[in-house]
Amino acid sequence: MLHIPPDWPVFFTLIASFLVFWFIFSRIFFRPFLDLLSRRESRFRDLSERTEQLIKQARVAEEEREERLAEARREALARSESGRRAAEAEVANLLEEAKADARAVLEEARTRVENQVRAAERELDTMGRALAHELAERVLGRRLNGTHDSGARN
């Protein structure tokens, strides 16, 4: 049974044995376990910091990639725009050349037609004079004195 006041030698023995067991258990179990927890916590903290750094680096790399991609798109757009402008200029030049060629062909055709019309007018004039001469000879019933004998008679 429990005595009040306690039996002092037993009480001090219990306190001493408690302190000895506490010291032994703290050295064998508690300290290694607490050290393990501390190392684990430190490792998790380090991993968390490293993860945050990697996330930041990934964001920076993604932004740089987006910037390079945007720059490449701008360059490609500029190249295609300059190519389009060059093609438009080439088309305009070809169109002007085609117009100039068409004008030259039309002018040549117009000149040829005008020459043919003049030749036809001269031929009609010659034929008209020959017919008039022949008609006059038939109406008069004799040959006319004139040098207008072009051989248009049949």
Side-chain angles (χ1 to χ4, degrees):
M1 282 242 109
L2 200 53
H3 295 61
I4 298 187
D7 188 12
W8 289 110
V10 172
F11 179 73
F12 286 121
T13 306
L14 283 174
I15 294 280
S17 66
F18 175 78
L19 290 176
V20 168
F21 280 121
W22 180 264
F23 179 75
I24 292 172
F25 278 116
S26 73
R27 288 280 183 185
I28 294 175
F29 295 115
F30 297 147
R31 236 183 236 155
F33 183 70
L34 290 176
D35 289 344
L36 175 70
L37 289 178
S38 174
R39 284 192 310 262
R40 202 177 266 180
E41 181 182 350
S42 174
R43 194 175 335 137
F44 282 137
R45 195 175 322 114
D46 291 344
L47 287 175
S48 176
E49 290 172 2
R50 179 70 178 144
T51 303
E52 288 176 14
Q53 287 176 347
L54 289 174
I55 288 172
K56 287 178 184 176
Q57 289 175 353
R59 285 183 187 147
V60 168
E62 179 66 21
E63 289 173 2
E64 289 175 359
R65 186 187 68 82
E66 287 295 328
E67 288 175 11
R68 286 194 311 265
L69 186 59
E71 181 63 28
R73 285 180 182 149
R74 282 191 294 272
E75 289 175 6
L77 183 62
R79 272 187 259 133
S80 69
E81 184 66 22
S82 67
R84 185 186 60 80
R85 286 185 190 138
E88 286 177 352
E90 181 68 24
V91 166
N93 288 339
L94 290 174
L95 191 58
E96 284 301 316
E97 288 177 9
K99 285 179 182 179
D101 289 347
R103 280 190 223 111
V105 167
L106 283 174
E107 189 60 36
E108 183 182 321
R110 184 177 296 128
T111 304
R112 206 172 39 243
V113 167
E114 286 175 359
N115 289 339
Q116 289 175 353
V117 166
R118 277 190 235 124
E121 285 175 348
R122 283 191 301 270
E123 187 178 334
L124 283 175
D125 187 47
T126 304
M127 285 175 64
R129 288 179 192 267
L131 285 175
H133 187 67
E134 187 178 332
L135 184 62
E137 284 180 350
R138 284 188 185 175
V139 169
L140 293 175
R142 62 179 175 89
R143 253 176 109 53
L144 294 177
N145 293 339
T147 61
H148 199 281
D149 200 15
S150 64
R153 290 188 200 166
N154 289 349

